[in-house]
Amino acid sequence: MRVLGIETSCDESAAAIVEDSHRILANTVATQIDVHRRYGGVVPEVASRQHLQTIMPVVETALHLAGCGWDAIDGVAVTHGPGLAGSLLIGVNAAKALAFARRKPLVGLNHLESHIYANWLDTDTPTEPPAFPALCLVVSGGHTDLIVMEDHGRYRRLGRTVDDAAGEAFDKVARLLDLGFPGGPAIEKIAATVQRRELELPRAWLPGTFNFSFSGLKTAVLNLTREPEHPEAPEVAAAFQESVVDVLCAKTVRAARELEVRQILVAGGVAANGALRRELSARAPVPVRVPPPRYCTDNAAMVAACGYFHFRTGERSDFALDVEPSLAFAS
Ligand code: KG4
Ligand code: ZN
């Protein structure tokens, strides 16, 4: 089965064609980073206008790269939430129009669930598909969730952030340190230049829960930058990253032990972070899977992979499918 995936929940217009949940035939991402950079963050109106211009060319490119016509496509999967309303609207309407015109089944998907399915995509090293029960750490610009996945479509949330998402904290701290947008890669890069770090920043443990909190850490950085003799940006970036990674790892490792899961699946833009990837793999009691960085940040291959499992159960969305900017997941 070949699924065309479409993703426009934030600032990437993406289309991909994936066969049987894992074989990537095409994966096209038109990023808007350069457009939003001059504003220091994603501007929703600008994002939706960009999606409108790029989504159809991106779909055409994906079909071209996969070397397949519409006859070879078995279904269209699209992100319908959560995300920016105006951005989601472009992808959902494109998917509905294509599914209607080409008489293909349509399915609307949750963006967070799709992030998890990046772990099913083929990488350079052949591996078995993930084993259940799996513990999913979803760390993106808008979410930080710890979820148990019992099987396809069966999720239970253990914890979430009570304030900022991990990616949001990276972006805000990068802005405080004048490192530009997006903040995650900028912080990772500058933190890597620090040989010996003395600065320690706080960690919010929220004992007895699997919840996270990053706003206090962000405030600690803000207060530090206001001090007349504050440490250099690389030192602060390194201490900040260490603090986020330490808390994410500690909670994930404890949950993996207590719930006796077989694997840990990491997903979302922050999963591209090398320090998190290394430290979690080193500390975890079970194997850790993290998609290659290009499948951690927003893409449509993960949407197509997720769509495969939805289609397989016979699930379909009708043409009343609408955007759900605050769509919940695993609640
Ligand atoms: O999943 P994603 O592409 O979009 C959302 O669904 O939010 O995640 C974007 C987030 C941004 O906050 C970005 O700063 C962060 O992922 N990110 C990183 C890295 N690459 C992207 N955070 C830390 N280290 C990175 N290398
Ligand atoms: Zn995302």
Side-chain angles (χ1 to χ4, degrees), residues 170 179 183-194 234 237 241 273:
F170 268 93
L179 300 177
I187 289 196
E188 179 172 9
K189 193 165 164 215
I190 192 171
T193 64
V194 178
Q241 179 175 271
N273 186 275

Side-chain angles (χ1 to χ4, degrees), residues 216-282:
L217 176 59
K218 176 193 65 192
T219 307
V221 173
L222 174 66
N223 292 340
L224 202 61
T225 56
R226 283 178 175 158
E227 282 175 19
E229 304 246 326
H230 58 78
E232 303 272 323
E235 175 92 356
V236 181
F240 164 79
Q241 179 175 271
E242 164 83 27
S243 176
V244 173
V245 167
D246 190 20
V247 176
L248 290 175
C249 289
K251 296 241 169 183
T252 306
V253 166
R254 183 162 69 82
R257 285 218 172 88
E258 283 182 18
L259 287 119
E260 299 183 354
V261 296
R262 290 179 60 193
Q263 280 189 335
I264 294 170
L265 312 179
V266 196
V270 181
N273 186 275
L276 175 62
R277 299 164 79 93
R278 282 188 298 276
E279 194 156 326
L280 190 55
S281 298

Side-chain angles (χ1 to χ4, degrees), residues 137-219:
L137 174 66
V138 184
V139 271
S140 72
H143 294 83
T144 299
D145 290 300
L146 207 46
I147 292 163
V148 182
M149 184 175 186
E150 312 274 4
D151 201 342
H152 295 291
R154 287 182 51 207
Y155 305 95
R156 188 162 54 87
R157 191 171 61 220
L158 300 175
R160 67 188 323 179
T161 180
V162 297
D163 40 55
D164 292 354
E168 186 182 358
F170 268 93
D171 294 335
K172 286 178 175 169
V173 164
R175 201 176 303 172
L176 289 175
L177 300 176
D178 268 332
L179 300 177
F181 165 85
I187 289 196
E188 179 172 9
K189 193 165 164 215
I190 192 171
T193 64
V194 178
Q195 305 290 343
R196 258 192 73 249
R197 181 174 51 83
E198 275 164 21
L199 179 66
E200 279 287 330
L201 286 170
R203 286 140 172 78
W205 290 113
L206 307 181
T209 75
F210 289 116
N211 289 335
F212 302 95
S213 165
F214 298 109
S215 75
L217 176 59
K218 176 193 65 192
T219 307

Side-chain angles (χ1 to χ4, degrees), residues 33-52:
I33 284 178
D34 289 338
V35 182
H36 297 290
R37 185 169 279 137
R38 72 183 86 133
Y39 306 105
V42 178
V43 183
E45 288 80 3
V46 176
S48 57
R49 232 172 299 141
Q50 289 285 321
H51 285 306
L52 189 56

